[in-house]
Amino acid sequence: MTVTLAPHTAPDHHGRTSRPRRYLMCPPEHFAVEYAINPWMDPARPVDAARAMRQWDALRRTYLDLGHAVEVIPAEPGLPDMVFAANGGLVVDGTAYSARFAHPQRAAEGPAYLGWLRAAGLRGVEAEHVNEGEGDLLVVGDLVLAGTGFRTAVAAHDEVRALFGRPVVTLELVDPHYYHLDTALAVLDDTTVAYLPEAFSAASRETLRELFPDAILAKARDAAVLGLNAVSDGRHVVLAAQATGFAARLRERGFVPVGVDVSELMKAGGGAKCCTLELRV
Ligand code: ARG
């Protein structure tokens, strides 16, 4: 694929600045691993619900301590993956593009999140095509990086382009462990990303190389603890504490890694970023 956009580069400086954010999270009140729609999920392996709640609450408090606002959507019974708020939609410029899930087990989360986002005063637009919100649609400056291959359809990428009037770059995921773009690529600021090259098709790797020549290339070890499933405010990067190699690389580049333990939620294939939907209002 040819990308005509200019490469995203920025001088590497050590005075990174954070921008206060508004996040939406959903407590893991009904969290469980009852089905397997990604290779991380094993319904035979027990989940400690109380521990999941403690980890989730620590993540929420981490955001508050960093000065961000956190809104909470009530969990709905029968939707064990609803804790993964990133999949609830894509919110840009006060408009919420709804999720339309690939698997029937999560289908009801789409209307649940859209209802909440509309009630919060956002313009809600119902998606026509299959997409899993910020799981596959990541905003980098003015660009939207859009994953496909396992969940989100390319037709949804076109829908996002038309809706927001922003360039949308399709990236093809090839490893089922990295089924959502946000498990294979982290947005660090308006021009900087980190990613696991082998999670992408050869053509998409080339696209990423052209667009982000300064990107941090993650190692398999860090990706395997969902270290790339990270949330950055431009300076602080909240990520799995186990991703120590990636944290060291972040420090070298002037970011401040903030480790959290979300190991219980990882049993469903989700990390810190999966639990977090950014409300760009
Ligand atoms: N069990 C969930 C699924 O497979 C995990 C979703 C993780 N969310 C994310 N944004 N990657 O759909």
Side-chain angles (χ1 to χ4, degrees):
M1 162 188 177
T2 3
V3 174
T4 48
L5 301 155
H8 280 52
T9 53
D12 214 17
H13 56 94
H14 282 242
R16 307 255 174 211
T17 45
S18 63
R19 186 157 44 78
R21 313 286 171 131
R22 192 170 158 205
Y23 297 128
L24 177 62
M25 297 180 72
C26 177
E29 220 168 289
H30 306 287
F31 176 65
V33 177
E34 291 169 356
Y35 47 78
I37 55 173
N38 69 54
W40 304 78
M41 301 176 89
D42 175 4
R45 192 169 162 220
V47 163
D48 183 338
R51 187 161 180 261
M53 187 61 90
R54 284 196 300 276
Q55 293 179 345
W56 178 86
D57 202 53
L59 176 63
R60 188 183 63 88
R61 280 184 284 107
T62 299
Y63 293 138
L64 295 174
D65 290 347
L66 291 172
H68 304 303
V70 180
E71 314 261 356
V72 175
I73 177 176
E76 292 196 8
L79 297 175
D81 272 333
M82 194 170 167
V83 61
F84 300 117
N87 301 133
L90 171 68
V91 182
V92 176
D93 303 331
T95 292
Y97 172 68
S98 82
R100 185 177 281 268
F101 285 84
H103 295 98
Q105 295 95 328
R106 299 195 66 186
E109 293 182 45
Y113 275 96
L114 184 60
W116 189 94
L117 293 164
R118 279 184 170 146
L122 297 161
R123 178 171 80 106
V125 175
E126 210 171 319
E128 265 180 47
H129 297 285
V130 170
N131 81 86
E132 298 198 348
E134 276 202 349
D136 274 322
L137 302 166
L138 296 176
V139 175
V140 191
D142 292 333
L143 277 188
V144 179
L145 301 181
T148 191
F150 296 99
R151 304 285 178 93
T152 298
V154 174
H157 301 179
D158 299 334
E159 211 177 354
V160 168
R161 189 178 295 117
L163 178 62
F164 294 110
R166 292 181 177 225
V168 175
V169 178
T170 292
L171 297 169
E172 195 192 348
L173 297 161
V174 296
D175 179 339
H177 289 92
Y178 306 110
Y179 56 93
H180 275 145
L181 183 60
D182 73 355
T183 62
L185 184 144
V187 177
L188 301 173
D189 64 19
D190 287 349
T191 52
T192 315
V193 301
Y195 62 93
L196 178 71
E198 53 266 43
F200 296 90
S201 69
S204 295
R205 275 204 295 273
E206 187 52 38
T207 300
L208 285 167
R209 250 198 310 271
E210 283 172 22
L211 270 177
F212 303 103
D214 295 340
I216 297 179
L217 301 183
K219 298 272 188 282
R221 214 177 27 259
D222 291 318
V225 291
L226 288 178
L228 287 166
N229 196 247
V231 177
S232 175
D233 62 14
R235 173 172 164 80
H236 311 98
V237 182
V238 177
L239 81 172
Q242 297 91 332
T244 50
F246 182 36
R249 298 296 312 281
L250 286 167
R251 249 179 245 112
E252 282 164 23
R253 298 285 290 263
F255 293 100
V256 180
V258 180
V260 290
D261 179 13
V262 283
S263 50
E264 213 50 43
L265 297 158
M266 271 176 62
K267 292 178 179 172
K273 165 63 201 155
C274 297
C275 295
T276 314
L277 177 66
E278 185 166 349
L279 304 174
R280 299 178 191 81
V281 291

